[in-house]
Amino acid sequence: GFRQQFGVAQAYADAGEMLRAERLDVVSVCLWHPLHAEFTVKAAQHRPKAVLCEKPMATCLAEADAMIQACEAQGVKLAIGHQRRFNKSWTKARELIAEGAIGTPVLMTVRTGEGLLNCGTHVVDAIRYMLGDPATEWVMGAVERKTDRFERNTRIEDCCMSVIQFQGGAQALVQCDLHSGANVENYSLRGSEGVLDVQQRGLRLLRGAAW
């Protein structure tokens, strides 16, 4: 079976039993999102060096807070698996913004689809990453649910929109499932001195003298 194919020395049918029996340096939580909070908190109690949890972090703010508090209380590093941070275009955009290529960031806009907990979580992380991970000051949002819509057995919205205010003055406008057509994420960041358009595999910098 799986153990023989990959040379796994020991397998467990219960996560709690594994955590009690092993002295783990890293715990990877690869479960469906409704289970992220429960097993991250459980793992933190056994004080590994780090917990890597798949995205989305949780299904509500209370769960996310519980995960953070549990890890902080035990001195455990908590990381969420937003693997798209390795996209070259996102990293190049982050570098250009940090260098002042578009001046002071003012407004980033993006459209996405397939649910806020699904693709939307990548979008929010991308915005934070490109802007240099600034602290969030406030968020305003609107959510609509008219149908019985689920994503991987988790209840999700039909559509939503949010405005995010970041420390330093930049804002972001996120639209999720508010447009028709293919789900192509295009980020447009307007700054005081230019505009940066970013896609998954490329970007375009627009600059010019003021009139």
Side-chain angles (χ1 to χ4, degrees):
F2 181 89
R3 284 183 61 188
Q4 289 72 32
Q5 182 180 355
F6 293 97
V8 178
Q10 182 65 48
Y12 296 90
D14 178 77
E17 180 185 350
M18 178 194 70
L19 291 166
R20 289 188 294 271
E22 306 285 349
R23 297 188 57 143
L24 301 173
D25 290 327
V26 179
V27 175
S28 180
V29 179
C30 305
L31 303 166
W32 294 130
H33 21 293
L35 298 172
H36 286 178
E38 175 187 349
F39 285 91
T40 295
V41 170
K42 186 176 293 188
Q45 293 169 354
H46 295 270
R47 304 187 71 180
K49 290 183 174 64
V51 173
L52 174 61
C53 179
E54 291 299 309
K55 68 87 189 170
M57 180 176 180
T59 60
C60 67
L61 185 58
E63 290 180 352
D65 287 341
M67 293 164 68
I68 293 170
Q69 290 165 7
C71 288
E72 286 183 345
Q74 298 296 338
V76 177
K77 291 185 181 296
L78 174 61
I80 307 303
H82 289 115
Q83 77 280 5
R84 293 190 193 178
R85 284 192 169 214
F86 292 95
N87 286 353
K88 290 183 179 179
S89 60
W90 289 13
T91 299
K92 184 61 178 179
R94 179 184 172 102
E95 292 171 353
L96 287 169
I97 293 167
E99 292 167 2
I102 60 169
T104 302
V106 177
L107 177 65
M108 183 181 283
T109 59
V110 61
R111 299 191 310 181
T112 187
E114 300 180 22
L116 188 61
L117 288 181
N118 185 24
C119 293
T121 185
H122 282 302
V123 164
V124 174
D125 187 65
I127 292 169
R128 295 186 61 251
Y129 178 62
M130 284 186 245
L131 290 175
D133 287 306
T136 301
E137 293 186 345
W138 53 259
V139 177
M140 295 179 65
V143 176
E144 181 177 77
R145 181 178 167 88
K146 290 184 176 180
T147 68
D148 194 28
R149 190 180 183 207
F150 282 76
E151 195 275 316
R152 280 176 287 186
N153 294 325
T154 302
R155 192 170 185 258
I156 65 169
E157 76 290 342
D158 285 302
C159 59
C160 64
M161 180 175 66
S162 65
V163 179
I164 307 169
Q165 176 69 58
F166 294 104
Q167 196 173 76
Q171 289 187 340
L173 173 62
V174 179
Q175 298 180 49
C176 191
D177 293 303
L178 281 168
H179 64 287
S180 58
N183 179 30
V184 179
E185 295 165 10
N186 296 321
Y187 302 82
S188 179
L189 177 59
R190 180 168 61 85
S192 60
E193 305 295 331
V195 176
L196 193 60
D197 289 328
V198 186
Q199 298 182 10
Q200 291 278 358
R201 293 179 174 82
L203 52 79
R204 179 175 59 171
L205 174 62
L206 305 174
R207 289 189 56 142
W211 286 67

